[in-house]
Amino acid sequence: MWAVIGVWDISPEAIDALRAQVPLMASSKVGLPGFVHGTWTLDGHMIQVYDNEADARRYHQDMLDQGATEPPGVRCVVWDVSEVGAESQAP
């Protein structure tokens, strides 16, 4: 599996609007090719797991091509793709 990892520094002026978009951001990923699961925080952190490298890299590049990683009031700190080494989940 492969993860797309994002970390953003969000200006105080933009934080409330972006927090309101978190549920939509999460739900809109469910149908993406290869998407397995994701987690979004309210303070600008995200990890999305894909079942293969090609789909993870495709999503990663699509967001760069769209300019979606740095909307107004947001500074991208990390936008990367990495192979997942382990996962855990409570029963």
Side-chain angles (χ1 to χ4, degrees):
M1 287 189 291
W2 289 77
V4 178
I5 302 160
V7 177
W8 292 269
D9 182 23
I10 304 169
S11 72
E13 299 81 26
I15 193 78
D16 289 338
L18 287 170
R19 283 181 175 174
Q21 293 177 25
V22 167
L24 177 60
M25 285 187 257
S27 66
S28 69
K29 304 309 180 268
V30 174
L32 291 177
F35 180 81
V36 176
H37 63 83
T39 302
W40 290 258
T41 70
L42 293 176
D43 62 349
H45 296 75
M46 176 279 298
I47 185 165
Q48 294 177 28
V49 177
Y50 290 80
D51 63 11
N52 64 79
E53 182 179 7
D55 286 331
R57 292 199 182 280
R58 184 176 306 108
Y59 173 76
H60 179 268
Q61 189 61 50
D62 286 349
M63 294 299 100
L64 288 173
D65 293 347
Q66 294 173 27
T69 59
E70 292 212 16
V74 177
R75 183 181 64 83
C76 184
V77 178
V78 174
W79 184 245
D80 204 2
V81 177
S82 182
E83 189 171 13
V84 174
E87 290 185 291
S88 63
Q89 182 173 322

